[in-house]
Amino acid sequence: MNRVSQQTLAQILDQQNRSTQSPETTEIGPDGTQLPSQILKSFCSKRGLEIEVVELTKSNFNQLVEMYDHFEPKRAAQGLPPTGRARIFSWLEDLQKNGNNLVALYQGRVIGHTMLCPVSPARAEFAIFIDQEYRNQGIGTKFTEVTLEFARGKGYRRIWLSVEMNNLSAIRVYKKLGFRMRDLFGPEQEMEICIPSRE
């Protein structure tokens, strides 16, 4: 094999290796250097928007604060998200310290957030918020699926949530994904899903 053929083969193999690896987004490290941020999953909305899911990091934290600062309706569920940038910032800092957080990106912009707040090593509370401009496109459903798969990898076996009883479309989605009704607390319904391990 001549030198040109060897070089071409090496380039092809390099391209194949890159195409089988998970794509990355740019993450800025504490010293200002760029670090790879793994895309956990990408999917298309019903309108064909390509959505990427990554973990909440320092580089997208302020974008998430911005999303919540313009979130409608205000205090949509259980008094969440809080109002005012300072309260939003503090709330997200606590969530980041004490749980697992994923963000959905469209063209690099944060348009959604899911959280897993552990109540035990195997059980966590789930919540999801989608920017009002991107609702009713199937993004919430697929984002929830990605989060449940992420939860499985973190060792959670039971995920529960609270949803307002009059939010029938959300309840239908949760049932479709495998959540089952549990307790009723005033105007809110508690639902839970059991996640089997991969073994």
Side-chain angles (χ1 to χ4, degrees), residues 54-145:
V54 299
E55 289 191 69
L56 178 62
T57 61
K58 288 181 180 178
S59 68
N60 51 43
F61 188 93
N62 287 333
Q63 277 195 49
L64 184 56
V65 172
E66 189 71 19
M67 183 193 93
Y68 280 124
D69 196 35
H70 296 95
F71 194 84
E72 294 293 341
K74 300 292 186 190
R75 303 174 68 85
Q78 304 169 317
L80 297 174
T83 54
R85 290 184 76 87
R87 292 183 64 215
I88 292 167
F89 194 94
S90 177
W91 174 61
L92 291 174
E93 273 193 327
D94 286 343
L95 287 173
Q96 198 168 26
K97 286 176 191 170
N98 302 310
N100 303 106
N101 298 266
L102 303 181
V103 291
L105 308 174
Y106 172 59
Q107 295 183 340
R109 176 189 167 199
V110 173
I111 58 125
H113 175 213
T114 58
M115 61 198 81
L116 294 164
C117 303
V119 292
S120 75
R123 190 168 185 255
E125 181 180 7
F126 167 81
I128 180 171
F129 295 93
I130 303 292
D131 185 294
Q132 56 271 16
E133 293 179 31
Y134 297 90
R135 294 174 194 159
N136 303 312
Q137 298 186 42
I139 294 171
T141 302
K142 291 183 178 180
F143 193 12
T144 299
E145 289 175 341

Side-chain angles (χ1 to χ4, degrees), residues 5 9 14 19-20 50 53 55 57 77 79 86 101 120 127 130-131 138 167 184 195 197:
S5 299
L9 179 60
D14 184 52
S19 66
T20 56
E50 187 171 346
V53 178
E55 289 191 69
T57 61
N101 298 266
S120 75
I130 303 292
D131 185 294
N167 193 346
L184 187 65
I195 305 177
S197 65

